[in-house]
Amino acid sequence: VTDWFACNELVEQFAISDRGFHYGDGLFETIAIRDGEARLWPLHMDRLASGCETLNITMPAQDSLLHGAMHAVRHSGISADSCLLKIVVSAGSGARGYGRATVDTPSILFGVSPWLSPPIEFYRDGIETVLCRTRLAINSATAGLKTLNRLEQVLARSEFNASNIYEGLTMDADDDVICGTMSNVFFVKDKTILTPSLDRCGVAGVMRRHVLATLDAVGKEVVIQGVRVAELSRVSEVFVSNSQFGILPVTRCAEHAWDVGAVTREIMDIMANNGIAECRS
Amino acid sequence: VTDWFACNELVEQFAISDRGFHYGDGLFETIAIRDGEARLWPLHMDRLASGCETLNITMPAQDSLLHGAMHAVRHSGISADSCLLKIVVSAGSGARGYGRATVDTPSILFGVSPWLSPPIEFYRDGIETVLCRTRLAINSATAGLKTLNRLEQVLARSEFNASNIYEGLTMDADDDVICGTMSNVFFVKDKTILTPSLDRCGVAGVMRRHVLATLDAVGKEVVIQGVRVAELSRVSEVFVSNSQFGILPVTRCAEHAWDVGAVTREIMDIMANNGIAECRS
């Protein structure tokens, strides 16, 4: 269950004319709250600001967002030690029709949900994934952004339901593996760390960016380059990242199997030492 | 202003956990009500059923949709002689996360808005359009459907605001002109009538389908084939269709200009004789 807040009030409903509902005209961030702090807050704010710029929505002041977020966390029935915070910024109520001017005062909602950790074995032994049939459309005008248009992820994530499958990897129409339904993906191939470009489709995850920055700081190169589905058999390690779980090794996707490799273990240790404690293996 | 109804009650708000809001997990139809009748109702129901199938939502019974729609029209403050009806079918409230099972009882909303005709001169003299910078992503999993994921249309339609511009034409990433922001497009080239395929992106409009069926019935061939933007100068006539306005001739797009041609006039007459009275030129 999620407790929702708007204007510092607990709410259960919102305006039926909201453009977020009718067109998906808005953005969201899902943020890990750990020990009362909003983890990777500046990176979440950066992505939200990029989204606002593309959608022509005036980015809300970051301090008022943080204030509203922390009010919601404190007034929810959920412990601020560990919970999930969702911030939705939508274009708000509007007249009929797709077109609109700049939105200066977007609707802002804060949702607080219980923390749901993957089992500890997933970090140690890795996760199994499927290869989703649902493809990501190419050259999306909102590629990389976390907009309220998420039908591709809904369709892809709804393809699997087995308890031993934790994630699905999605391809674009050119057979490039782009990301998971709720995560970004990294590959180790010929000792090189690769992660796909998100310029044409997919969501540029905040944890992905934190991984890239952290590895850059310790002198480890990551090449922004995709892997075709046909190349999966030539990859030696796979892992996925997201802002809640950090990093999880992937040991299976469709007919391909991998061990939890040394590179993944080392990166998880590095991330654990840079604020993502649950990566401690 | 739109009057909204759910379960035969006038409503102003809806559940904040609705998946339509969070993911655009739903569909809609905008239907012309003329003389108390829902125009092209079977075609709207057909497209809605296709969308429900793709989104794994159980299609509501058509007679209950029609009953709810007509109840909304009667109880709105707007005349049933001419008004616009919007039906929204969303996946409804759900738990966190993209994945879900089949939705057997979707949320259903009916919105009634005033009829807004284009001026009579638009039918006689044609409309001016722009060529939108926002591109349609290719190979969308929901190509052709009218889902609640409409950010491409929002971005494209928000590019223009001049009173003399009634519509914008949108291209996909391959420079093919696909449709308008709220309409479908037809071209006359070398005396052949063309309309783009909507298998990779765009919305397959109900009026487009009615035009295709009507022309087929009178023995006029329409070729499902796109026009590259570079070919616009070699096109002799352009017109757009949508379920509200019927057909409007296009006399300008970017630097290209066309007369209102004889083929367009003839098709408008044919459509006027097949239930779309406003096409009478």
Side-chain angles (χ1 to χ4, degrees):
Chain A
V1 221
T2 304
D3 286 338
W4 286 100
F5 293 83
C7 301
N8 288 348
E9 298 286 339
L10 190 67
V11 291
E12 295 188 350
Q13 295 200 303
F14 72 108
I16 209 161
S17 55
D18 197 284
R19 295 176 59 93
F21 179 67
H22 292 277
Y23 308 129
D25 190 357
L27 303 149
F28 70 105
E29 295 290 330
T30 306
I31 301 173
I33 305 288
R34 307 303 308 261
D35 302 323
E37 300 274 327
R39 188 164 73 181
L40 303 182
W41 178 260
L43 300 187
H44 284 290
M45 290 301 100
D46 246 36
R47 182 173 61 186
L48 185 60
S50 296
C52 283
E53 191 177 347
T54 298
L55 265 54
N56 204 16
I57 292 173
T58 300
M59 171 75 180
Q62 291 191 26
D63 57 352
S64 88
L65 285 179
L66 187 58
H67 189 272
M70 287 309 164
H71 180 279
V73 170
R74 276 195 312 275
H75 290 79
S76 74
I78 300 164
S79 165
D81 286 351
S82 286
C83 63
L84 275 182
L85 170 73
K86 183 170 177 177
I87 304 180
V88 183
V89 173
S90 94
S93 290
R96 278 196 67 252
Y98 294 128
R100 63 165 167 82
T102 303
V103 173
D104 288 321
T105 53
S107 300
I108 304 172
L109 290 168
F110 302 96
V112 185
S113 310
W115 184 263
L116 286 172
S117 280
I120 190 82
E121 310 88 76
F122 285 10
Y123 291 95
R124 192 187 61 205
D125 306 332
I127 59 167
E128 298 194 22
T129 69
V130 294
L131 191 63
C132 296
R133 294 182 304 276
T134 303
R135 304 286 184 127
L136 304 179
I138 293 175
N139 282 315
S140 164
T142 55
L145 301 176
K146 198 138 180 171
T147 74
L148 297 176
N149 278 204
R150 294 265 68 88
L151 264 178
E152 290 178 338
Q153 283 71 32
V154 167
L155 293 175
R157 181 59 188 82
S158 298
E159 290 180 26
F160 56 96
N161 195 27
S163 61
N164 64 320
I165 304 293
Y166 191 67
E167 176 59 307
L169 300 185
T170 53
M171 293 174 280
D172 66 13
D174 288 343
D175 278 356
D176 278 312
V177 181
I178 302 295
C179 52
T181 66
M182 57 168 182
S183 64
N184 290 111
V185 63
F186 292 76
F187 304 98
V188 182
K189 191 180 165 209
D190 303 331
K191 309 208 181 221
T192 304
I193 309 167
L194 306 172
T195 194
S197 165
L198 302 166
D199 287 348
R200 303 204 308 170
C201 51
V203 174
V206 155
M207 189 59 72
R208 172 183 182 270
R209 191 167 154 197
H210 186 49
V211 169
L212 293 176
T214 303
L215 294 185
D216 186 59
V218 300
K220 282 201 176 295
E221 191 189 20
V222 179
V223 179
I224 306 297
Q225 184 184 303
V227 165
R228 294 257 159 144
V229 68
E231 293 174 307
L232 278 180
S233 58
R234 301 212 297 274
V235 153
S236 58
E237 301 181 32
V238 181
F239 62 93
V240 289
S241 67
N242 98 352
S243 62
Q244 189 193 356
F245 63 62
I247 289 180
L248 288 172
V250 174
T251 55
R252 181 172 288 277
C253 179
E255 75 273 24
H256 307 285
W258 304 277
D259 291 327
V260 179
V263 177
T264 301
R265 286 265 170 258
E266 185 187 2
I267 292 172
M268 289 175 76
D269 281 341
I270 293 168
M271 297 310 295
N273 289 329
N274 197 19
I276 314 301
E278 56 269 58
C279 288
R280 183 89 49 206
S281 47
Chain B
V1 221
T2 304
D3 287 337
W4 286 101
F5 294 82
C7 300
N8 287 348
E9 298 287 339
L10 190 67
V11 290
E12 295 187 350
Q13 295 199 305
F14 71 109
I16 210 163
S17 55
D18 197 284
R19 296 176 59 94
F21 179 67
H22 292 278
Y23 308 129
D25 191 358
L27 304 148
F28 71 105
E29 294 290 330
T30 306
I31 301 172
I33 306 289
R34 306 305 306 263
D35 302 323
E37 299 275 327
R39 189 164 74 181
L40 303 182
W41 178 261
L43 300 186
H44 284 289
M45 290 301 100
D46 246 34
R47 182 173 60 185
L48 185 60
S50 298
C52 283
E53 190 176 350
T54 299
L55 267 53
N56 204 15
I57 293 173
T58 300
M59 172 75 178
Q62 291 192 27
D63 57 352
S64 89
L65 285 179
L66 187 59
H67 190 272
M70 288 309 165
H71 179 278
V73 169
R74 276 195 312 275
H75 290 79
S76 73
I78 300 163
S79 164
D81 285 351
S82 286
C83 62
L84 274 183
L85 169 73
K86 183 170 176 176
I87 303 180
V88 183
V89 174
S90 94
S93 290
R96 280 196 65 250
Y98 294 127
R100 62 164 169 82
T102 303
V103 173
D104 288 322
T105 53
S107 299
I108 304 171
L109 290 168
F110 302 96
V112 186
S113 310
W115 184 262
L116 286 171
S117 280
I120 189 82
E121 309 88 76
F122 285 10
Y123 292 94
R124 193 186 61 207
D125 306 333
I127 59 166
E128 299 194 22
T129 68
V130 294
L131 191 62
C132 295
R133 293 182 304 278
T134 303
R135 303 286 184 124
L136 303 179
I138 294 176
N139 282 315
S140 165
T142 54
L145 301 177
K146 199 140 181 171
T147 74
L148 298 176
N149 277 206
R150 294 265 69 87
L151 265 177
E152 290 178 338
Q153 284 70 32
V154 167
L155 293 174
R157 181 60 189 81
S158 298
E159 290 181 26
F160 57 97
N161 196 26
S163 61
N164 64 321
I165 304 293
Y166 192 68
E167 177 59 306
L169 301 185
T170 53
M171 292 174 281
D172 67 12
D174 287 343
D175 279 357
D176 278 314
V177 181
I178 302 294
C179 53
T181 66
M182 58 169 179
S183 64
N184 289 112
V185 63
F186 292 76
F187 305 97
V188 181
K189 191 180 166 210
D190 303 331
K191 311 210 178 214
T192 304
I193 309 167
L194 306 173
T195 194
S197 164
L198 301 167
D199 288 346
R200 302 203 308 168
C201 52
V203 174
V206 155
M207 188 59 72
R208 171 182 182 271
R209 190 167 155 198
H210 186 50
V211 169
L212 292 176
T214 304
L215 294 185
D216 186 59
V218 299
K220 283 200 175 292
E221 191 190 19
V222 180
V223 179
I224 307 298
Q225 183 183 306
V227 166
R228 294 258 159 143
V229 67
E231 295 175 307
L232 279 179
S233 59
R234 301 211 299 275
V235 154
S236 59
E237 300 181 35
V238 181
F239 62 92
V240 288
S241 66
N242 97 354
S243 62
Q244 187 193 358
F245 62 62
I247 289 180
L248 289 171
V250 174
T251 55
R252 181 172 287 279
C253 180
E255 75 272 24
H256 307 285
W258 304 277
D259 291 328
V260 179
V263 176
T264 302
R265 284 266 169 258
E266 186 187 0
I267 292 172
M268 289 175 77
D269 281 342
I270 293 169
M271 296 311 295
N273 289 329
N274 197 19
I276 316 299
E278 56 269 59
C279 289
R280 183 90 52 207
S281 47

